[in-house]
């Protein structure tokens, strides 16, 4: 069997930057959930995206949890969230005892549909329960069309948590993804564009939010000689070893984006003559980081997503369906869902017709050609 080709796997720098920072952590015995790598990783990431404050945490999910808590989400509150996403975007809503309300996607951006959001706001205004926050996800590396979303949220006075777990380094109208909402979060899980093996970051231009997140993440320890706790705490801080990996990875983030873009463009060029295949639309309001190259098959295509996934699996090549929308998940299906579509909701349509293609930055041109040939053979 030939070597497995992955959707997206960890890709450490050829220069060994990560090991250098990790080595420093060992040599100085900063093998702890604090230390210079944590402080520097926060500063370096904040500088990269152009935001004032950052808090390094144990995961993107932890960042969403503390981000929503910082925005005041409590038991009994309502939080709006994009439906087409990974469950980590909305699990924390339930950790806090709040109710998620799912919002459909827009067909152009794949992300939160402003029209569906408007419907949800109007309904919640009628019911006298406006949401405490809106979680806007930037899917597969592309920003949501944030201006109309911001306008609606400002009208109703509701803050935005930008889930930029998949879109670090992408932009929207010249601004970095994750820095446009009141709070932004990134993930450094193993499959993300850069990884620390596992980790996350909460960013904001409001220092109160990141300070609170760091405080809660370190068990809400008050500044006393003894252990004093006035609030419930969490053990959510990033370790200094892990942060060293992050500092090294940050140095190659632009290279990774460049490579991901090339991968997308090769697929796009190779499939342009196959009428049944459409690559995910990339909007001109910003730059994607092309985290995953995603295709959809036209509804009347004889070749179905499963045919492609099975054909690739036979060659030891990983591919996957598009995220199954949250409003279709058994664990969340009791919660409200809003769509502006008269027919099949956009998110469901993408789930039924989509395939995430291998987008691993370690993939060679030859490996990508093999994937393309195998898919073309099916048509
Ligand atoms: C990966 C991911 C997360 C969660 O990040 P973790 O670091 O794995 O906890 C949240 N939201 C989205 C959209 C993701 O893709």
């Amino acid at each position: 069997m030939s070597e497995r080709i992955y959707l997206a796997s960890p890709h450490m720098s050829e220069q060994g930057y990560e090991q250098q920072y990790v080595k420093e952590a060992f040599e100085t015995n900063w093998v702890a959930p604090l230390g210079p790598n944590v402080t520097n990783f926060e500063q370096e990431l904040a500088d990269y995206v152009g935001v004032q404050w950052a808090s390094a945490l144990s995961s993107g999910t932890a960042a969403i949890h503390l981000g929503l808590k910082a925005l005041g989400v409590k038991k009994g509150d309502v939080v709006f969230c994009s439906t087409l996403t990974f469950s980590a975007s909305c699990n924390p809503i339930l950790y806090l005892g709040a109710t998620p309300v799912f919002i459909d996607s827009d067909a152009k951006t794949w992300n939160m549909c402003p029209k569906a959001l408007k419907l949800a706001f109007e309904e919640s205004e009628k019911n006298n329960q406006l949401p405490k926050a809106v979680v806007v996800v930037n899917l597969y590396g592309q920003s949501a069309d944030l201006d109309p979303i911001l306008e609606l949220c400002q009208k109703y006075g509701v803050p935005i948590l930008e889930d930029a777990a998949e879109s670090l380094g992408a932009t929207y109208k010249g601004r970095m993804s994750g820095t446009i909402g009141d709070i932004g979060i990134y993930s450094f899980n193993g499959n993300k564009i850069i990884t620390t093996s596992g980790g996350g970051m909460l960013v904001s231009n409001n220092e109160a939010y990141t300070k609170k997140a760091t405080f809660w993440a370190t068990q809400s320890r008050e500044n006393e000689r003894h252990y004093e706790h006035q609030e419930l705490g969490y053990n959510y801080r990033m370790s200094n070893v892990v942060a060293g990996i992050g500092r090294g990875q940050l140095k190659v983030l632009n290279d990774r984006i460049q490579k991901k873009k090339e991968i997308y463009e090769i697929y796009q060029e190779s499939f342009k003559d196959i009428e049944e295949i459409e690559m995910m639309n990339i909007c001109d309001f910003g730059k994607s980081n092309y985290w995953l190259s995603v295709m959809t098959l036209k509804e009347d295509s004889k070749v179905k997503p499963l045919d492609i996934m099975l054909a690739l699996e036979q060659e030891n090549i990983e591919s996957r369906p598009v995220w199954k929308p949250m409003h279709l998940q058994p664990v969340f299906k009791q919660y409200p869902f809003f769509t502006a579509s008269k027919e099949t909701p956009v998110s469901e349509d993408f789930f039924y017709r989509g395939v995430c293609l291998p987008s691993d930055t370690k993939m060679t041109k030859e490996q990508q050609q093999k994937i393309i040939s195998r898919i073309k053979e099916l048509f």
Side-chain angles (χ1 to χ4, degrees):
M1 200 87 182
S2 53
E3 198 188 331
R4 186 159 176 82
I5 306 174
Y6 292 97
L7 215 55
S9 72
H11 187 176
M12 295 299 115
S13 69
E14 281 69 28
Q15 298 88 341
Y17 298 131
E18 299 85 356
Q19 291 193 39
Q20 195 53 44
Y21 289 120
V22 170
K23 192 159 163 263
E24 269 173 42
F26 274 73
E27 282 167 1
T28 53
N29 205 32
W30 280 109
V31 184
L34 78 173
N37 279 338
V38 174
T39 317
N40 286 316
F41 186 34
E42 287 174 343
Q43 187 61 53
E44 287 157 8
L45 185 116
D47 290 346
Y48 181 89
V49 297
V51 75
Q52 270 181 292
W53 310 100
S55 173
L57 302 169
S58 54
S59 69
T61 312
I64 296 170
H65 188 180
L66 298 186
L68 289 175
K69 193 172 155 70
L71 294 175
V73 175
K74 290 183 304 295
K75 198 170 176 209
D77 285 337
V78 167
V79 176
F80 291 176
C81 182
S82 311
T83 193
L84 190 61
T85 186
F86 179 48
S87 64
S89 302
C90 58
N91 279 332
I93 299 170
L94 286 146
Y95 300 167
L96 290 162
T99 302
V101 170
F102 297 110
I103 314 291
D104 200 15
S105 292
D106 173 279
K108 285 256 151 39
T109 66
W110 288 56
N111 288 309
M112 188 177 277
C113 167
K115 289 200 193 93
L117 178 65
K118 186 162 179 281
L119 294 175
F121 266 125
E122 286 166 0
E123 182 69 19
S124 70
E125 195 179 31
K126 254 198 294 185
N127 298 337
N128 234 332
Q129 190 169 37
L130 284 176
K132 249 316 176 20
V134 178
V135 179
V136 181
V137 181
N138 303 307
L139 213 62
Y140 298 129
Q142 167 157 275
S143 177
D145 187 8
L146 283 165
D147 275 350
I149 295 172
L150 279 164
E151 198 181 308
L152 278 165
C153 289
Q154 273 156 14
K155 177 177 164 198
Y156 289 98
V158 177
I160 291 178
L161 186 142
E162 228 190 316
D163 179 349
E166 301 177 3
S167 62
L168 176 60
T171 63
Y172 177 74
K173 300 189 179 175
R175 293 165 73 188
M176 284 284 187
S177 190
T179 68
I180 303 161
D182 298 78
I183 289 178
I185 74 94
Y186 303 107
S187 164
F188 311 110
N189 203 328
N191 59 352
K192 296 301 183 332
I193 194 154
I194 60 169
T195 181
T196 61
S197 71
M201 192 83 79
L202 184 152
V203 297
S204 182
N205 283 314
N206 183 337
E207 191 186 9
Y209 292 145
T210 53
K211 261 194 155 160
K212 231 28 234 260
T214 304
F215 172 74
W216 288 325
T218 41
Q219 306 284 22
S220 298
R221 274 183 66 187
E222 299 291 339
N223 192 16
E224 300 277 359
R225 185 180 300 276
H226 65 275
Y227 283 81
E228 175 78 11
H229 307 281
Q230 293 177 18
E231 289 182 64
L232 187 63
Y234 301 83
N235 185 4
Y236 274 178
R237 197 74 165 124
M238 182 181 279
S239 104
N240 192 59
V241 177
V242 153
I245 307 175
R247 294 183 72 191
Q249 285 271 279
L250 207 48
K251 290 188 192 287
V252 292
L253 174 55
N254 289 341
D255 300 342
R256 298 295 176 263
I257 296 172
Q258 184 53 38
K259 174 72 184 179
K260 294 266 193 194
K261 184 168 189 236
E262 280 168 27
I263 292 170
Y264 174 89
E265 285 169 350
I266 291 172
Y267 281 130
Q268 191 180 43
E269 180 60 27
S270 307
F271 294 137
K272 72 171 194 294
D273 299 328
I274 301 181
E275 222 245 308
E276 292 94 327
I277 295 180
E278 263 178 307
M279 294 301 293
M280 176 178 165
N281 181 51
I282 302 297
C283 298
D284 57 13
F285 54 53
K287 287 200 302 249
S288 177
N289 75 7
Y290 300 88
W291 174 55
L292 290 187
S293 287
V294 185
M295 63 145 81
T296 54
L297 292 163
K298 294 239 171 88
E299 206 167 356
D300 58 3
S301 168
K302 291 208 172 54
V303 179
K304 299 294 175 195
L306 187 62
D307 301 320
I308 292 184
M309 291 183 268
L310 291 176
L312 294 178
E313 197 51 52
Q314 276 176 359
E315 309 283 333
N316 202 20
I317 299 164
E318 185 188 19
S319 63
R320 254 176 217 281
V322 160
W323 297 124
K324 181 176 177 180
M326 291 304 113
H327 70 276
L328 296 182
Q329 301 287 356
V331 62
F332 300 124
K333 71 172 191 296
Q334 75 217 75
Y335 300 110
F337 166 63
F338 286 87
T339 176
S341 167
K342 298 266 180 300
E343 289 148 43
T344 312
V346 173
S347 54
E348 292 182 27
D349 182 46
F350 284 151
F351 170 57
Y352 300 135
R353 296 192 296 112
V355 183
C356 298
L357 296 167
S359 311
D360 195 277
T361 49
K362 296 195 301 308
M363 178 167 68
T364 63
K365 288 229 159 63
E366 293 69 37
Q367 286 175 318
Q368 193 177 0
Q369 282 313 324
K370 185 173 142 185
I371 295 161
I372 290 163
S373 309
R374 192 68 197 88
I375 293 173
K376 281 187 162 174
E377 276 168 27
L378 298 172
F379 289 90

